[in-house]
Amino acid sequence: MTTTHDPVAAAERCTPEYRRNPHPVYAHLRDTAPVCPMKPPHGNETYLITRYEDARAALSDPRLSKDMYGAMDAYRSIFGDSSVALDDNMLNSDPPKHTRLRKLVNSEFTPRRVEALRGQIQDVVGRLLDACPTGEPVDLLPAFAFPLPITVICELLGVPPDERSRMQELSTTVAQTGFSEESKRAQQKAEEDLHAYFTDLIARKRSRPGEDLLSALTAVQDAEGGLTGNELVSTAFLLMFAGHKTTAYLIGNAVYHLLAHPAQLRAVQEDPELIAPAVEELVRFEGSVESATFRYATEDVEIGGTRIPKGALVQIALTSANRDPRKFDRPDEFDVRRPGNAQNAHLGFGHGGHYCLGAPLARLETQLALTGLFSRFPRVALADPGREAPWMEVPFPAFRGLAELPVVLEPPGA
């Protein structure tokens, strides 16, 4: 077994240059240090996996645990004590607990159940586009990309409309905080507020249940094999957070890259059948989840010829794996006509037992968002096409998304 270390490339992941374009760094790591030990800002020994085959294997390796309570010291040093109460969910658990928790919500996110939401999602898309100003620059992220998935997931959960903006604000604070004491305090306060909010909402659902997912989960809370009180709060948070952040960034990335690649956009506009494969290619080319959430080694593990010691944290770079030339031909080219067998092999939604539960919903929302936008405004354009894309700066690579997306929507018939 060998251990390869590339401290220069590791340090580069924390620079503004890297945030603007991480792909050259990942290409370098895939060639020189595909399983790279690093010291991120949180200070815990972490191994970064960058090649496709290694990433795919790691995503389903039972020796790489998702139960971060088993790595509590490391977990607390990264996320703080307040995160524990919100992370008692399927994302941070292993079988049999993961199996039990996932089964309770899985039926709501099957392709068949999600397809039944098509009309509802189209209505939301239409209302949001109706409200967008035309003939002048508009930031499509707050006007369209973020409100769409937050509206859909909140309606599924049964969150009242007048409470949704506050939830989005709090979840943004949770996602974008860093490692300074000020940032940690802001994150802790936001997490405490979210925990209190969902605890109260669940109490309301218990006394006045509705036809929504949270009411259904509350009804089975006390049944055998149901959710505990904290699991229910944490699951509600997970569904809300994962159900809108990643999809919002994906919609933004998708619009940007279609506008930046006019020939690909024309192909989609001329052939509506291409919209589904185009979304898969967009997930592969510039997905919204740069790295899978942390795992930790429960024993010494060898991946790609490198020994990962017991107790080390593991990050799997999905963005890098999805551009690995060992798997994909011309990986740095955006091609909506990429052959399906290669296109659908991407790891943008993960792999194995923790494959993204909401993938069918994210796919449908993105497809309908793009179809609605480019049908209503076929001549939509970047407000400043010569400007470099303003990618979001985050303290560690988790999400890959734009900080803003200014476009000009030409009035219909202009």
Side-chain angles (χ1 to χ4, degrees), residues 262-279:
Q264 302 297 314
L265 174 57
R266 283 196 300 273
V268 172
Q269 289 176 312
E270 292 169 1
D271 182 3
E273 295 297 319
L274 282 177
I275 191 65
V279 169

Side-chain angles (χ1 to χ4, degrees), residues 133-136 376-379 408-414:
T134 59
E136 61 185 61
R376 175 80 66 90
F377 303 106
R379 295 176 57 202
V408 176
L409 305 174
E410 293 291 347

Side-chain angles (χ1 to χ4, degrees), residues 86 190-202 204 233:
L86 287 178
E191 289 169 343
E192 290 171 350
D193 287 350
L194 281 168
H195 191 279
Y197 171 75
F198 279 115
T199 299
D200 174 71
L201 181 60
I202 289 165
R204 284 184 272 159
V233 171

Side-chain angles (χ1 to χ4, degrees), residues 225-344:
L227 295 159
T228 68
N230 200 60
E231 286 173 348
L232 180 55
V233 171
S234 182
T235 296
F237 165 74
L238 173 64
L239 293 173
M240 182 278 297
F241 187 85
H244 85 276
K245 264 316 181 202
T246 54
T247 305
Y249 288 131
L250 176 59
I251 292 171
N253 293 0
V255 172
Y256 173 78
H257 279 298
L258 284 168
L259 293 178
H261 297 81
Q264 302 297 314
L265 174 57
R266 283 196 300 273
V268 172
Q269 289 176 312
E270 292 169 1
D271 182 3
E273 295 297 319
L274 282 177
I275 191 65
V279 169
E280 299 306 312
E281 172 67 349
L282 286 157
V283 174
R284 183 203 68 81
F285 184 74
E286 199 86 81
S288 59
V289 180
E290 184 169 338
S291 294
T293 51
F294 285 112
R295 287 160 167 79
Y296 79 97
T298 58
E299 59 184 81
D300 289 355
V301 179
E302 181 180 354
I303 295 179
T306 294
R307 183 182 69 85
I308 299 176
K310 178 180 179 180
L313 298 180
V314 175
Q315 266 197 306
I316 303 168
L318 306 180
T319 289
S320 175
N322 285 335
R323 293 215 190 181
D324 188 347
R326 296 160 189 81
K327 178 63 178 180
F328 301 99
D329 183 39
R330 303 173 290 109
D332 292 322
E333 292 184 25
F334 172 45
D335 181 5
V336 298
R337 291 190 173 92
R338 185 176 295 275
N341 60 342
Q343 185 184 78
N344 295 333

Side-chain angles (χ1 to χ4, degrees), residues 94-101:
D94 300 324
K97 179 177 178 176
H98 171 264
T99 307
R100 173 176 62 85
L101 295 178

Side-chain angles (χ1 to χ4, degrees), residues 24-73:
V25 175
Y26 282 136
H28 178 63
L29 286 173
R30 286 193 301 266
D31 290 340
T32 62
V35 181
C36 179
M38 310 175 77
K39 282 288 188 181
H42 52 70
N44 294 280
E45 183 178 23
T46 303
Y47 284 74
L48 179 71
I49 298 174
T50 55
R51 287 183 182 173
Y52 179 92
E53 292 299 338
D54 294 338
R56 193 173 188 274
L59 286 167
S60 58
D61 193 324
R63 299 170 298 175
L64 299 180
S65 174
K66 290 285 291 165
D67 181 5
M68 294 308 294
Y69 289 91
M72 187 56 75
D73 289 343

Side-chain angles (χ1 to χ4, degrees), residues 79-376:
F79 298 108
D81 292 339
S82 60
S83 297
V84 175
L86 287 178
D87 286 348
D88 189 12
N89 52 50
M90 72 186 83
L91 182 65
N92 300 295
S93 61
D94 300 324
K97 179 177 178 176
H98 171 264
T99 307
R100 173 176 62 85
L101 295 178
R102 188 177 176 108
K103 182 179 180 181
L104 289 170
V105 297
N106 189 58
S107 62
E108 296 294 325
F109 293 93
T110 62
R112 179 182 175 185
R113 291 294 294 272
V114 168
E115 180 61 29
L117 300 172
R118 177 179 290 270
Q120 179 181 341
I121 297 171
Q122 287 175 323
D123 287 344
V124 177
V125 168
R127 293 199 304 269
L128 292 171
L129 292 176
D130 286 343
C132 286
T134 59
E136 61 185 61
V138 56
D139 186 348
L140 216 57
L141 294 185
F144 183 62
F146 273 89
L148 172 58
I150 191 67
T151 299
V152 172
I153 196 62
C154 282
E155 290 188 3
L156 280 176
L157 287 173
V159 176
D162 60 346
E163 298 172 8
R164 295 170 185 175
S165 61
R166 177 58 176 161
M167 283 195 14
Q168 182 174 333
E169 176 187 336
L170 291 172
S171 66
T172 298
T173 302
V174 171
Q176 295 185 346
T177 50
F179 295 102
S180 69
E181 288 305 313
E182 181 180 359
S183 293
K184 287 181 178 180
R185 285 194 297 270
Q187 180 188 37
Q188 180 175 349
K189 180 63 166 60
E191 289 169 343
E192 290 171 350
D193 287 350
L194 281 168
H195 191 279
Y197 171 75
F198 279 115
T199 299
D200 174 71
L201 181 60
I202 289 165
R204 284 184 272 159
K205 296 296 181 183
R206 183 172 287 110
S207 62
R208 297 186 301 277
E211 299 296 325
D212 55 76
L213 177 55
L214 196 52
S215 292
L217 292 175
T218 301
V220 300
Q221 179 181 354
D222 298 325
E224 183 178 356
L227 295 159
T228 68
N230 200 60
E231 286 173 348
L232 180 55
V233 171
S234 182
T235 296
F237 165 74
L238 173 64
L239 293 173
M240 182 278 297
F241 187 85
H244 85 276
K245 264 316 181 202
T246 54
T247 305
Y249 288 131
L250 176 59
I251 292 171
N253 293 0
V255 172
Y256 173 78
H257 279 298
L258 284 168
L259 293 178
H261 297 81
Q264 302 297 314
L265 174 57
R266 283 196 300 273
V268 172
Q269 289 176 312
E270 292 169 1
D271 182 3
E273 295 297 319
L274 282 177
I275 191 65
V279 169
E280 299 306 312
E281 172 67 349
L282 286 157
V283 174
R284 183 203 68 81
F285 184 74
E286 199 86 81
S288 59
V289 180
E290 184 169 338
S291 294
T293 51
F294 285 112
R295 287 160 167 79
Y296 79 97
T298 58
E299 59 184 81
D300 289 355
V301 179
E302 181 180 354
I303 295 179
T306 294
R307 183 182 69 85
I308 299 176
K310 178 180 179 180
L313 298 180
V314 175
Q315 266 197 306
I316 303 168
L318 306 180
T319 289
S320 175
N322 285 335
R323 293 215 190 181
D324 188 347
R326 296 160 189 81
K327 178 63 178 180
F328 301 99
D329 183 39
R330 303 173 290 109
D332 292 322
E333 292 184 25
F334 172 45
D335 181 5
V336 298
R337 291 190 173 92
R338 185 176 295 275
N341 60 342
Q343 185 184 78
N344 295 333
H346 68 74
L347 300 177
F349 293 118
H351 174 69
H354 281 274
Y355 183 83
C356 178
L357 182 73
L361 181 58
R363 286 184 167 108
L364 182 60
E365 287 179 312
T366 306
Q367 291 170 16
L368 296 180
L370 298 178
T371 299
L373 174 67
F374 293 116
S375 297
R376 175 80 66 90

Side-chain angles (χ1 to χ4, degrees), residues 5-27:
H5 195 185
D6 190 336
V8 175
E12 284 179 358
R13 293 185 86 221
C14 301
T15 66
E17 292 76 19
Y18 167 85
R19 295 309 309 152
R20 286 193 289 269
N21 184 11
H23 303 295
V25 175
Y26 282 136

